[in-house]
Amino acid sequence: MPERHPPPAIAEAVTVLKHGGLVAIPTETVYGLAADARNPDAVRKIFALKGRPADHPLIVHISGADRLAQWAVDIPDIAYRLAARFWPGPLALVLKKRGDVPDEVTGGQPTVALRCPANALTQELLRQFDGGLAAPSANRFGHISPTTAQHVRDEFGERAPMILDGGPCTLGIESTIIDLTRSPARILRPGGIGIDQLRPFLPDIQAGGQADSPRVSGDMAAHYAPHTPLRMLSRGQLIEAARGQDAVVLCLDDLPHGLVGLAIPGDAATYARELYASLRWLDRQQAAQILLERIPQDGAWLAVADRIKRAIVGSSPN
Ligand code: TXA
Ligand code: MG
């Protein structure tokens, strides 16, 4: 096979990572803040930069299912079948960890979350790096996840790490996380892969974490939040509430006359892709409140509804 020459940015990112530094990486879901998952000092830098509590575990990003056994033990056959169907893609698998996976990555838990992201640059980076990258979303703890390189710069300012710019994320909300260490398997965080897609593989899969489930920081009520207080209202209520008030709005399909804000086409995939960038824009307007038009309640909107619910709690002033 001819020798491959990676683009300069990837070669530089590999060098930074090999030396224990951080690199912001594009994925199809959101940008990640990556470090060598085998290097505890490097992983600690992620927590320091994000301001994230040290006991919150990170997802390890790998180049494919052939790497699972480097991180996990007792891997059930279903893990390989799910990976064959959904990887690269927005599905993170929680498995029993190998003894040599650093506690810094797993938050001291006996499990590890693994995912193969679908982004050409990051795929190439993983191949050249030839290892696993621990990467949470590249935002300050509790804030809105970044879906462009500029969002990462906005989050960290002068402290921003090297950023691999892969353009805007195509899905726009975080991966589905499923716990395969319990029976029946459980969805810990809804995301790009819906329960209907998983049921053919796991007929008795459970939705929603429980009190005894492993810590998932996206599982805390307040998360993914703008600074401006956020409320969700029906379209009629929203028009009423916004009139004459210091409010910006996020509507479905079109912006009612006379209101300031944004409208996103009312299909779940487009809404998911644009949600975080929209919340960031609305937050920057520094209005007294952000009003969201109520979204549809069907299954396709589940992951979006989950993020909005947490953003509302996270933005509340008390
Ligand atoms: O789409 C994504 O998953 C993005 C991109 C960058 O890949 N990453 C992401 O990472 O959302 P983060 O850290 O913001 O959220 C990952 C979630 C956290 O809530 C964490 O608690 C959970 O994964 N997690 C990680 N390891 C786990 C484990 N062993 N058991 C249960 N939950 C785990
Ligand atoms: Mg996050």
Side-chain angles (χ1 to χ4, degrees):
M1 221 167 69
E3 201 185 324
R4 277 197 293 184
H5 295 284
I10 292 183
E12 188 190 337
V14 170
T15 304
V16 170
L17 292 165
K18 290 284 182 203
H19 285 86
L22 303 182
V23 176
I25 57 168
T27 84
E28 77 283 33
T29 60
V30 300
Y31 274 72
L33 187 61
D36 179 356
R38 292 276 176 204
N39 181 339
D41 290 334
V43 174
R44 273 189 224 110
K45 291 180 189 168
I46 296 177
F47 290 91
L49 185 58
K50 275 194 69 125
R52 171 163 162 146
D55 60 353
H56 284 217
L58 305 175
I59 295 175
V60 177
H61 297 71
I62 54 178
S63 58
D66 57 330
R67 300 277 178 156
L68 279 173
Q70 295 179 355
W71 303 92
V73 290
D74 301 342
I75 304 169
D77 189 49
I78 184 68
Y80 288 100
R81 284 193 281 132
L82 289 167
R85 170 66 183 82
F86 296 110
W87 282 5
L91 182 67
L93 304 176
V94 173
L95 297 166
K96 201 166 146 195
K97 75 162 200 167
R98 248 170 70 150
D100 56 1
V101 180
D103 281 338
E104 282 76 3
V105 172
T106 63
Q109 298 185 60
T111 57
V112 61
L114 293 153
R115 161 166 130 78
C116 173
N119 173 281
L121 267 187
T122 293
Q123 280 280 332
E124 184 60 24
L125 174 66
L126 285 167
R127 276 191 293 272
Q128 299 291 333
F129 178 69
D130 194 23
L133 295 176
S137 52
N139 52 276
R140 284 170 294 117
F141 183 64
H143 197 225
I144 305 166
S145 300
T147 54
T148 67
Q150 185 59 44
H151 293 165
V152 181
R153 276 179 223 114
D154 294 345
E155 282 292 310
F156 300 115
E158 288 182 349
R159 299 171 70 216
M162 178 187 173
I163 303 172
L164 263 188
D165 190 343
C169 300
T170 52
L171 292 177
I173 58 174
E174 300 79 357
S175 61
T176 304
I177 304 176
I178 59 178
D179 186 351
L180 294 178
T181 67
R182 52 178 69 212
S183 187
R186 183 179 294 279
I187 297 178
L188 300 180
R189 179 176 71 183
I193 307 291
I195 192 164
D196 293 346
Q197 290 168 277
L198 296 169
R199 274 212 190 90
F201 296 85
L202 294 161
D204 53 357
I205 190 167
Q206 308 279 301
Q210 276 192 341
D212 67 338
S213 67
R215 270 180 301 266
V216 181
S217 61
D219 203 31
M220 300 193 319
H223 229 75
Y224 312 108
H227 303 291
T228 316
L230 196 66
R231 283 200 294 154
M232 190 153 77
L233 301 168
S234 72
R235 191 172 178 94
Q237 290 169 329
L238 176 144
I239 292 169
E240 201 60 39
R243 214 160 260 146
Q245 295 294 314
D246 180 17
V248 287
V249 302
L250 182 60
C251 290
L252 294 174
D253 293 320
D254 63 284
L255 194 61
H257 181 73
L259 299 191
V260 178
L262 301 170
I264 306 182
D267 70 276
T270 309
Y271 197 95
R273 185 164 62 239
E274 295 185 12
L275 175 63
Y276 289 154
S278 301
L279 287 177
R280 282 173 182 273
W281 184 89
L282 292 162
D283 212 12
R284 277 202 305 278
Q285 307 315 305
Q286 302 196 318
Q289 48 180 339
I290 301 172
L291 305 178
L292 301 188
E293 179 176 350
R294 196 171 296 290
I295 56 167
Q297 288 201 308
D298 64 273
W301 289 80
L302 193 73
V304 165
D306 170 79
R307 302 310 190 275
I308 288 178
K309 191 176 73 193
R310 294 172 205 287
I312 288 172
V313 176
S315 75
S316 85
N318 35 29

